[in-house]
Amino acid sequence: MKKVLVFGGTTEGRILAETLSQSNITVHVSVATDYGEQVIEEKNNLKILKGRLDVPSMKRLIKENKYHMVIDATHPFATEVSESIKNSCQEIGLPLLRFERNVELEKYSNVIFTENAHECCNLLSKTSGKILLTTGSKDLNVFCKSPSLRERLVVRVLPSLESINLCYENNLEGKQIIAMQGPFSKNMNIAQIEDYDISALVTKESGKTGGTDSKIEAALEKGIKCIIIKKPSTKTKDSEFSPNYFQCTSMRQIYDAIEENLSVKINSTKNIHVDLIGIGMGNEKNMTLEAAEKIQKAQAIFGAERMISAIKTNAKKYPHYLAKDIVPVLKGFLNSDSEINKVCVLFSGDTGFFSGAAKLQKELEKAENITVKNIAGISSLSYLASRIGQTYQDAVIISLHGTDESFWKPELDNALTRLKKIFLLTSGIQDVHKVGNLVSLYNKSGEKKYRMAVGFNLSYENEKVQIINPEDCRFFTEEGLYSILLWVE
């Protein structure tokens, strides 16, 4: 079995490692930090090596493990690391592939380019207002050297101890630190520009994968200065390190080079995993830990507009919840250069309780290269029952939502005569009035009397749960999300 060492820490490095490990190639991934280790999972044929390496350590690692090839997929600005990797492979005579992000910023006007962090600081010193610094923690010492410039900074860094410690070592205050994992969407960048009253945004020329495009678009939309630190030149002469050194600007070029040099076949077919998630009533506090974790790791999120708008995430959002709208988008991911392979579709309540999740799951299971998992949530039935201290295992469930009265009314009439506990999903306030009137008339018959609990906007800040007499339903006037539980005491 062929053996490859990948120097990672980037999205491309993770994708390469996972793809090669699925192609019957043993892959070791070298990452410098604890955080780098967290964003990639060990699995069959894939092992993570953590720790910073100098040239002697690299050479020793390569010799001891007898790799057939090395891939440099480090960050475009990690020039010192790339140079060390290059020198190590040159001395050993081992094939080295360097992945170069294809950065195309010519389409943007009204942006300012600087050669390095020092030049950027000189430029910023002539401006006023707060600065959103999105260049990471490596050059913080340069930007924080001047106290007058430092106090204007809001820095966005990775949520790692190393990054946060560097912030404090450079005398930044907690209110100046945003510790979050990117890349960030345009809307997320806009939100932070607005929240912190930013006048200038600083970024590196890291390419679309690094979120540069969305930062620029957000800055331009808000009409603030956008300053870009140019990517260091890493172009290598054709003769240098030839024939063992290859620069690639696309995944396909890397796969072709690996296949040619190692005489292997790379299974580069993309796969997408979709989680169908019941998010509960709507308040994120009622979401399961599994659901919250899946959402935070997702690269794309689908769902009704009211649900996805409330979710805080860096993922791309799509206001779709029907299979006919979702499946074509997923196939577009598969058939393009998109790096999206983790997707969530959000459903209110529980995925098994009057949800469209089951139908979507059947459609997704028919599609090639798509896997799907159903993740349960808290239903309105279980939530309302818990709020009034009732059990619900003996309740019959009737949905009025989107159903004509001529269908649900006979069903409810029949249930009232036979049962002692009934749960009702409604379409709104009119259904509440009709149910109250119907149950009130039934109670007057004298056979048995139903109590009624009405839940309004369950889990939201304006939630109301009231145990009332059925005839009092006529006093409800506010439109919203209503659930009803009827029981005989």
Side-chain angles (χ1 to χ4, degrees), residues 426-435 456 473 475-480 482:
T426 77
S427 293
I429 190 65
Q430 293 301 318
D431 283 349
V432 176
H433 292 163
K434 291 174 183 178
V435 170
F456 170 77
C473 281
F475 297 118
F476 286 81
T477 58
E478 192 172 1
E479 192 59 74
Y482 285 92

Side-chain angles (χ1 to χ4, degrees), residues 137-149:
S137 58
K138 182 179 178 182
D139 293 323
L140 279 179
N141 61 322
V142 179
F143 288 94
C144 294
K145 187 175 182 180
S146 166
S148 59
L149 183 60

Side-chain angles (χ1 to χ4, degrees), residues 405 409 431-444 452 470-474:
E405 184 179 351
K409 187 172 182 290
D431 283 349
V432 176
H433 292 163
K434 291 174 183 178
V435 170
N437 184 57
L438 189 64
V439 178
S440 179
L441 290 174
Y442 182 84
N443 281 352
K444 290 177 181 178
M452 174 183 279
E471 56 267 26
D472 292 335
C473 281
R474 67 182 185 274

